[in-house]
């Protein structure tokens, strides 16, 4: 692994952990004696906009745009992302080169005032920047107040400790990776809170024409995770999902089959539609697409249009 192999990443502690994890996996597969790749921190629009909801500025691509541009210019050889931040359509010339084994897909509940979401007192304030989480909270507890809660994991923990909200929700995988598992008050089951598409997975993006880097990344790809993420992202793409649409989806792979569950909600959580499909894992993309078509049919043509 050449020392000149620069890895692009955002600068948050979680993003740096993920980039270092990819670097460690590369060294484990190709040998530390061949050199250590360097990390190149790139500030993204999503990182710089902290005072307003992301939906007002274009959604998911705000966390990848500047990194994509650096990759296309050749400033970096590969980019490491939380898969749930990746738009379903990558810029021309880039490809998803590897998806690492998935971590815990569930959401963690954090609160100094209650042991669980169900136990929060009436009128309590829940902070989250995720429309998906906010809509599901409102669906489960319409009496609660949901407020926008931006920032990295550490920033949100400080806001919670400072009383900005009575509770928040964070990805369990992120807490685990940062050594902050004890910060979780409890963990929500996927039946209670369906996760974001590709939550818990780390993706590596590279240039389509960079055969050397693609070959280096190939051993990092986890087949089961890749299949599950492909299904979930096909569902999201069919619905043209972005940060403006509260959409959840989870594919589980086992014994050659894949089980997919999807959910779309109004931001207020009062209206929602779900879908479940099972089929052969080699038809993962088709299953995700069919699930998207099915849920669109149930919701009707105006449901998604009203969310855009």
């Amino acid at each position: 692994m050449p020392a000149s192999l620069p890895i692009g990443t955002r600068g948050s502690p979680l993003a740096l952990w993920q980039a270092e994890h990819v670097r460690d996996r590369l060294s484990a597969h190709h040998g530390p004696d061949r050199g250590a790749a360097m990390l190149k921190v790139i500030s993204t629009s999503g990182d710089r906009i902290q005072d307003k909801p992301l939906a007002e500025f274009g959604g998911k691509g705000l966390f990848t745009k500047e990194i994509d541009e650096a990759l296309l210019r050749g400033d970096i050889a590969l980019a490491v992302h939380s898969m749930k931040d990746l738009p379903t359509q990558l810029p021309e010339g880039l490809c998803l080169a590897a998806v690492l084994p998935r971590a815990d897909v569930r959401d963690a509940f954090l609160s100094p005032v209650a042991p669980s979401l169900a136990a929060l007192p009436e009128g309590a304030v829940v902070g989250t920047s995720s429309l998906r989480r906010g809509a599901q909270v409102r669906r489960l507890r319409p009496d609660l107040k949901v407020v926008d809660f931006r920032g990295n994991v550490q920033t949100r923990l400080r806001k919670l400790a400072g009383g900005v909200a009575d509770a928040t929700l964070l990805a369990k995988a992120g807490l685990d990776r940062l050594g902050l598992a004890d910060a979780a008050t409890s963990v929500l089951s996927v039946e209670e809170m369906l996760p974001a598409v590709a939550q818990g997975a780390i993706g590596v993006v590279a240039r389509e024409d960079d055969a050397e880097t693609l070959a280096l990344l190939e051993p990092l790809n986890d087949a089961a995770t890749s299949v599950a993420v492909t299904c979930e992202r096909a569902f999201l793409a069919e619905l043209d999902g972005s940060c403006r649409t509260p959409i959840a989806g989870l594919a589980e792979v086992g014994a050659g089959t894949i089980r997919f569950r999807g959910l779309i909600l109004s931001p207020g959580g009062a209206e929602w539609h779900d879908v479940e499909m099972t089929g052969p894992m080699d038809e993962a993309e088709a299953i995700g697409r069919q699930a998207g078509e099915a849920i669109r049919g149930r919701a009707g043509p105006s449901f998604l249009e009203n969310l855009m």
Side-chain angles (χ1 to χ4, degrees):
M1 190 175 67
S4 60
L5 190 76
I7 300 175
T9 177
R10 294 165 60 197
S12 73
L14 180 57
L16 291 172
W17 185 98
Q18 293 176 161
E20 289 166 359
H21 182 64
V22 169
R23 181 171 63 184
D24 290 346
R25 293 299 87 213
L26 284 168
S27 292
H29 280 283
H30 302 293
D33 58 326
R34 297 185 63 188
M38 63 178 183
L39 303 187
K40 184 167 184 177
V41 174
I42 298 171
S43 176
T44 69
S45 302
D47 296 314
R48 294 191 291 271
I49 299 169
Q50 291 291 324
D51 58 342
K52 296 180 180 179
L54 289 178
E56 296 179 10
F57 294 91
K60 288 188 179 183
L62 292 173
F63 286 119
T64 61
K65 180 177 179 289
E66 288 83 357
I67 298 177
D68 289 340
E69 290 170 349
L71 192 50
L72 288 168
R73 285 194 306 268
D75 296 346
I76 54 176
L78 58 101
V80 179
H81 299 284
S82 293
M83 278 298 304
K84 65 185 181 67
D85 290 336
L86 273 187
T88 54
Q89 186 69 40
L90 297 181
E92 186 176 354
L94 302 183
C95 66
L96 183 59
V99 182
L100 276 63
R102 197 173 203 171
D104 199 321
V105 302
R106 297 174 297 171
D107 285 305
F109 173 81
L110 296 83
S111 175
V113 304
S116 67
L117 182 64
L120 279 172
E122 184 175 348
V125 176
V126 177
T128 178
S129 62
S130 163
L131 288 184
R132 171 192 63 87
R133 290 181 180 129
Q136 290 192 77
V137 166
R138 292 181 177 107
R139 173 191 171 193
L140 295 167
R141 290 287 309 273
D143 61 294
L144 299 178
K145 181 181 179 182
V146 177
V147 298
D148 191 56
F149 214 55
R150 291 289 315 284
N152 62 35
V153 171
Q154 287 81 357
T155 299
R156 297 185 207 193
L157 291 177
R158 286 195 295 270
K159 287 182 177 180
L160 185 63
V164 176
D166 298 307
T168 190
L169 301 167
L170 295 171
K172 177 70 164 53
L175 292 175
D176 290 345
R177 287 165 177 158
L178 291 170
L180 296 172
D182 290 345
T185 308
S186 59
V187 181
L188 288 79
S189 71
V190 295
E191 285 73 28
E192 186 177 6
M193 177 77 65
L194 199 64
V197 162
Q199 183 158 303
I202 297 171
V204 187
V205 175
R207 291 184 295 277
E208 290 178 333
D209 61 359
D210 187 353
E212 181 181 3
T213 298
L214 294 176
L216 288 170
L217 291 170
E218 186 176 0
L220 274 61
N221 190 62
D222 181 73
T225 303
S226 182
V227 166
V229 165
T230 294
C231 181
E232 294 168 19
R233 284 169 61 81
F235 172 74
L236 190 65
E238 186 63 33
L239 296 172
D240 194 26
S242 70
C243 283
R244 296 182 180 88
T245 49
I247 297 174
L250 176 63
E252 297 168 295
V253 176
T257 63
I258 187 165
R259 177 197 181 199
F260 175 78
R261 285 173 282 174
L263 174 69
I264 184 166
L265 310 96
S266 63
E271 184 179 356
W272 53 273
H273 305 274
D274 60 0
V275 63
E276 180 172 337
M277 288 190 174
T278 303
M281 60 183 294
D282 59 0
E283 297 179 10
E285 186 172 358
I287 290 169
R289 189 168 57 251
Q290 290 163 13
E293 292 169 352
I295 211 167
R296 184 190 292 275
R298 294 174 192 175
S302 63
F303 186 82
L304 279 170
E305 292 171 5
N306 291 338
L307 300 181
M308 297 302 180

